[in-house]
Amino acid sequence: GHWWADGYRQMLERIRRDMPRDCFLTTECNAEAYVRWFDGYLTWHWQYDGQVPAFPAVYGGALTLFGRSYGGGETRDLALSMKAGQQLVFGEQLGWINPSVITEPANLDLLSQLARLRHACKHYFDGGQMARPPRPVDPPSTVRADWGWGGGNWWVTTDSLLTGAWQLPDEQRLLLLFVNVGPDPVSAHVPIDCSEYGLDTPQVHVVAIGVAGAPAPRTESPQFDMPLALPARTALAYEVTCTR
């Protein structure tokens, strides 16, 4: 019956009523039945082949999503890249990762990129909304790794180029995220139609954020083509805003 959920709701209602104003509640996993009472969910079990960000598309910006279980066998470095890249475009806080990864230069470089980029864009994840991820014109290459879930031998395939979009509708601002999680460079052309994101303007301003050596700011029409050339294990973000 519904007695289990009812009992938790009564308990959480009392906790929220009595808890100090400057505190917050988190819990393990992301049971939808309790969204109203929690401020954050540990999403460590999001480990499945073919995952789509349906949950953050609905609840992103309403609560914080954080943490994956990181693991894997011989392909663990690729699995780490895939998970961390997916976490960024899904809007999650990065982690749970064994601190020993900082002794591995390639992993440290990737995680540092992603953490700095997420920090630069945190206002989109804290109070924004997920939008439809942009798609390259040509089908992207894929990567495959053992994500080490359930004791190992847990193979997951994703695109090499992961994409995401978040927006601040009230400010007519759009964030576009691109992460090459694979071991090889990626080139792609991504069509962007700003009207799909509610940007009502004759022109848009496109600025790369949080990345050293990124392309210079430019002005585009609301429908434009975004060429990408990303080295292996590299992330890039663009902020698109209306011009007046």
Side-chain angles (χ1 to χ4, degrees), residues 80-110:
L80 179 146
S81 181
M82 295 163 70
K83 292 180 188 184
Q86 196 176 79
Q87 282 199 283
L88 179 70
V89 300
F90 280 15
E92 303 163 42
Q93 291 185 11
L94 309 179
W96 271 348
I97 303 174
N98 191 308
S100 67
V101 299
I102 66 171
T103 65
E104 303 164 8
N107 288 337
L108 176 59
D109 181 63
L110 173 69

Side-chain angles (χ1 to χ4, degrees), residues 147-171:
W147 280 24
W149 183 250
N153 196 28
W154 191 271
W155 292 90
V156 172
T157 300
T158 71
D159 292 341
S160 297
L161 178 63
L162 301 182
T163 67
W166 288 76
Q167 60 188 141
L168 298 169
D170 292 342
E171 300 179 24

Side-chain angles (χ1 to χ4, degrees), residues 118-128 168 171 173 239:
R118 192 185 191 284
H119 180 73
C121 305
K122 64 181 184 298
H123 49 295
Y124 281 93
F125 308 124
D126 292 343
L168 298 169
E171 300 179 24
R173 291 180 177 271
E239 187 174 46

Side-chain angles (χ1 to χ4, degrees), residues 154-200:
W154 191 271
W155 292 90
V156 172
T157 300
T158 71
D159 292 341
S160 297
L161 178 63
L162 301 182
T163 67
W166 288 76
Q167 60 188 141
L168 298 169
D170 292 342
E171 300 179 24
Q172 293 221 322
R173 291 180 177 271
L174 171 67
L175 176 71
L176 301 173
L177 296 162
F178 304 95
V179 188
N180 176 10
V181 300
D184 301 310
V186 166
S187 296
H189 285 270
V190 183
I192 305 296
D193 184 351
C194 294
S195 66
E196 294 183 358
Y197 300 103
L199 272 64
D200 180 18

